[in-house]
Amino acid sequence: MSSRQITAGGTEPPSRSSSVVARRALRDGVYDAILEKLLDGSAPPGSSLGIDPLARELGVSPTPVREALVQLEHTGLVSRVALKGYRVAPPLSAEQLLELFDMRTILETAAVQRAAAHADELVPELRAAHARHVLAAHEVQKRRAPGERPADFTDLREYFAADWEFHLTIIRAAGNRFLAQAAESLSAHVHRLRQTVHHGTMDMDQAIEEHAAILAAFETGDPAAVQEAMRSHLSAVAQRVSADG
């Protein structure tokens, strides 16, 4: 009988391609779970990431854990030490922060210049992204009010995502897939800044104000004003992060 015979349940066994897809989905799920541990502080900088303990915790075999850690090593979020396995990378150094914001300035000012040509289509979407950012900030601030529990990473996750989505909305509007890919490659490092959020002051009010200035510049349709607003925002964020460090 053929190896592709019908099973007792009346369906064919999974094809090779479907098995590959399932394995990739499992690996991606494990990747996301470990990334969450890195960003929420449950796996702090310098801590060990054992493959077998993680596999037991996540209820999977060691293979997708190993594959996910290899992926994370490429982002710089974890490092592999000979004979010691994987460890969570330390927070970004002052030099790395400088380089990160230098790269963001190069990439994002180029993106806003190109996106400004499509301002009529972009502005409504950017207004919506800004509104989501404002709402997320409001939710965090409510939890930080007297009598409420302090905001933790779980509370801040939606705020951080809305902040970054504002930037991605502009970058995608530039209409250059390679700019978008470069931005996505930076996302892990941008989120890695969140590791220091409890060691400094939150800059929600400043970020909201600076994003509003960027939106207003797009509404004027002046590419030079848009570039200056984005450059000023990134410079201010870099200064705030450096001061917190």
Side-chain angles (χ1 to χ4, degrees):
M1 185 176 291
S2 168
S3 61
R4 293 184 60 81
Q5 62 185 347
I6 302 300
T7 65
T11 58
E12 293 188 3
S15 67
R16 180 180 178 85
S17 60
S18 65
S19 296
V20 170
V21 170
R23 178 177 175 180
R24 184 176 299 141
L26 177 60
R27 181 197 63 201
D28 291 347
V30 170
Y31 177 97
D32 290 341
I34 298 174
L35 180 61
E36 185 78 0
K37 290 174 66 66
L38 300 180
L39 298 180
D40 69 11
S42 59
S47 62
S48 176
L49 293 169
I51 292 174
D52 290 336
L54 283 171
R56 288 193 295 270
E57 177 184 341
L58 300 175
V60 298
S61 71
T63 298
V65 173
R66 186 177 295 107
E67 292 173 345
L69 288 172
V70 169
Q71 276 188 286
L72 284 163
E73 185 178 10
H74 292 313
T75 71
L77 292 174
V78 306
S79 59
R80 188 172 184 276
V81 182
L83 305 179
K84 294 183 179 180
Y86 290 91
R87 290 189 177 277
V88 182
L92 293 172
S93 67
E95 182 179 6
Q96 288 172 320
L97 284 171
L98 181 63
E99 292 176 357
L100 174 60
F101 279 101
D102 185 36
M103 177 58 180
R104 284 193 64 184
T105 300
I106 293 169
L107 188 153
E108 296 195 51
T109 53
V112 295
Q113 181 184 29
R114 289 157 178 77
H118 313 288
D120 289 345
E121 297 85 359
L122 171 61
V123 164
E125 187 178 355
L126 196 59
R127 285 174 180 158
H130 182 56
R132 289 191 292 271
H133 187 206
V134 171
L135 178 60
H138 178 65
E139 290 299 318
V140 173
Q141 288 167 340
K142 279 200 308 185
R143 294 184 175 93
R144 300 176 73 190
E148 296 286 344
R149 62 183 176 82
D152 56 20
F153 183 82
T154 301
D155 299 321
L156 295 168
R157 182 189 295 110
E158 187 173 347
Y159 169 79
F160 289 144
D163 183 312
W164 183 230
E165 182 59 26
F166 180 88
H167 289 264
L168 290 180
T169 298
I170 297 169
I171 293 166
R172 288 192 293 261
N176 185 311
R177 72 190 68 189
F178 298 106
L179 270 177
Q181 289 173 4
E184 290 294 347
S185 73
L186 287 178
S187 64
H189 300 289
V190 172
H191 291 310
R192 191 172 166 198
L193 290 174
R194 312 315 187 191
Q195 293 173 331
T196 64
V197 68
H198 299 301
H199 304 296
T201 58
M202 284 294 295
D203 65 344
M204 287 185 292
D205 291 340
Q206 297 98 317
I208 292 292
E209 183 178 342
E210 290 156 13
H211 281 193
I214 294 169
L215 173 58
F218 270 110
E219 290 171 335
T220 70
D222 181 353
V226 173
Q227 281 188 290
E228 181 56 32
M230 178 61 77
R231 187 178 290 108
S232 295
H233 170 49
L234 294 175
S235 176
V237 174
Q239 289 176 12
R240 292 194 291 268
V241 170
S242 297
D244 287 346

